[in-house]
């Protein structure tokens, strides 16, 4: 009977302490991985939203072109609602001289479509698509 009591006194809890440290290290690694996965999912969402908007802007620019400059409201459809697109139109004129004769030349009108980053719900710069890109 005294042998059993001596064995209990000699146990110091080393294994329990090692197990506790192992669980602590595992939990820190798990928290780090959860943070990384969250960042990856956020980046993936931002990329999907940007791709969706670029496709819609290209479609409108290709279909309407200079017709977008008539002052009407242009919108893009997003999962969280329609967002307004800023349309900027700029025409360019130049004088060309050939053999001493000067002619006024009108260059094609440039159309810029821009959606702000805050409307897209992403961080960073606004998304801009132009007919001269």
């Amino acid at each position: 009977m005294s042998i059993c009591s001596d064995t209990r006194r000699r146990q110091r809890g080393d294994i329990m302490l090692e197990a506790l440290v192992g669980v602590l290290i595992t939990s820190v690694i798990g928290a780090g991985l959860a943070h990384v996965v969250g960042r990856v999912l956020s980046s993936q969402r931002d990329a999907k939203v940007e791709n969706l908007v670029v496709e819609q802007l290209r479609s409108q620019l290709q279909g309407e072109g200079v017709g977008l400059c008539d002052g009407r409201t242009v919108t893009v459809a997003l999962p969280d609602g329609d967002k307004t697109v800023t349309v900027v139109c700029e025409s360019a004129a130049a004088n060309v001289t050939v053999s001493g004769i000067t002619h006024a030349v009108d260059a094609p009108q440039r159309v810029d479509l821009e959606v702000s980053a805050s409307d897209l719900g992403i961080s960073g710069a606004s998304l801009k698509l132009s007919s001269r890109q």
Side-chain angles (χ1 to χ4, degrees):
M1 203 158 150
S2 64
I3 295 175
C4 289
S5 64
D6 289 341
T7 307
R8 287 185 184 172
R9 272 191 275 159
R10 291 184 187 175
Q11 292 181 353
R12 297 184 190 138
D14 292 343
I15 294 175
M16 291 296 287
L17 187 59
E18 289 175 5
L20 181 62
V21 170
V23 168
L24 180 64
I25 291 172
T26 304
S27 65
V28 168
I29 291 172
L33 287 175
H35 176 71
V36 168
V37 167
R39 300 274 306 220
V40 167
L41 291 176
S42 176
S43 296
Q44 185 178 17
R45 181 213 171 268
D46 291 352
K48 283 183 178 183
V49 168
E50 287 176 0
N51 188 33
L52 180 66
V53 170
V54 166
E55 286 178 7
Q56 291 182 35
L57 292 179
R58 282 183 181 163
S59 175
Q60 289 181 0
L61 190 59
Q62 186 177 14
E64 300 289 328
V66 180
L68 295 169
C69 298
D70 62 3
R72 63 189 165 111
T73 303
V74 179
T75 60
V76 290
L78 294 175
D80 58 346
D82 292 349
K83 301 298 179 184
T84 304
V85 177
T86 304
V87 180
V88 177
C89 299
E90 179 183 315
S91 58
N95 292 323
V96 177
T97 303
V98 178
S99 299
I101 301 172
T102 303
H103 295 284
V105 177
D106 290 329
Q109 194 169 24
R110 184 178 84 194
V111 181
D112 296 333
L113 303 174
E114 185 174 358
V115 181
S116 69
S118 61
D119 284 347
L120 297 177
I122 61 174
S123 59
S126 58
L127 187 61
K128 186 173 185 179
L129 187 73
S130 178
S131 60
R132 292 207 183 161
Q133 289 180 340

